[in-house]
Amino acid sequence: MRVRDVMTRDVVTVTPETSVRDAGALLAARGFTMLPVVDGRGELLGVLTEAEALKDRLPVDPRTLVHGEAPRGVPRPARAIRDVMVEPVVGATPDADVAEVARRMLEHDVRSVAVVDGRRLVGVVTRRDMLRAVSRDDRALEAEVRRRLCLYGGPGRWRVGVTDGRVSIVDALDDERDRHVAAVLAGAVAGVVDVCFPESDSAGVGHAVGDR
């Protein structure tokens, strides 16, 4: 499964001139954890995360100060995103393997990743996108696998069943080379976790491709 299969393409972005306060309000209202910062050509310049949006923006409550004395040396919060945006810790391309991107996201405790083609922002992939993909309904997975196999080998050749994201395929022609292609096609469907080829229909394989 590739990043392009699960990423969100309609991305909300900000510019370096956007105020940190407005960006923070956007993060809170939309439930985002990160906003990509782009220039006028759509090229990625950096990202603004919740941490940067909060930096120096929570003053000490004056009720906690002795005799009401103002705290000393408190920095003023940045006004524009250009002053607080950072380089993304983890990035991805549309062709990157989702498994590897997910591993890096967990390793760096990142919830959202900007997806770039060269330097141009083309999408964002989040943990939620990945969870949505791996939790797709078995019937939807079966329909997509059958559609892909039908395009490759024609109707009536393949029998397909899906249980808990695991795909079982029976090839009527029992061709080893075509089974390899079928495994690649089925395994590339977002949400498929495994592909196998049982020796007979007794394994519970479902409808033949093209039957419905």
Side-chain angles (χ1 to χ4, degrees), residues 112-207:
S112 305
V113 171
V115 184
V116 293
D117 183 359
R119 294 193 60 182
R120 185 172 62 89
L121 180 75
V122 294
V124 167
V125 62
T126 68
R127 292 183 186 179
R128 185 174 301 173
D129 292 328
M130 295 177 182
L131 285 172
R132 188 179 298 116
V134 300
S135 59
R136 289 179 67 191
D137 181 77
D138 284 342
R139 289 173 297 180
L141 295 178
E142 181 181 331
E144 178 62 17
V145 171
R146 287 192 292 106
R147 185 188 71 82
R148 295 191 182 195
L149 295 185
C150 186
L151 290 174
Y152 173 69
R157 173 175 177 178
W158 314 90
R159 297 185 66 84
V160 179
V162 182
T163 303
D164 294 333
R166 292 175 169 81
V167 178
S168 297
I169 302 173
V170 171
D171 176 16
L173 300 183
D174 195 26
D175 185 289
E176 183 177 354
R177 183 172 56 184
D178 282 355
R179 286 202 304 272
H180 173 73
V181 176
V184 172
L185 292 174
V189 173
V192 170
V193 298
D194 187 32
V195 180
C196 68
F197 293 84
E199 295 181 358
S200 69
D201 290 357
S202 62
V205 177
H207 300 83

Side-chain angles (χ1 to χ4, degrees), residues 13-31:
T13 62
V14 290
T15 68
E17 292 74 30
T18 303
S19 75
V20 177
R21 184 170 183 175
D22 287 347
L26 186 58
L27 286 168
R30 300 292 292 271

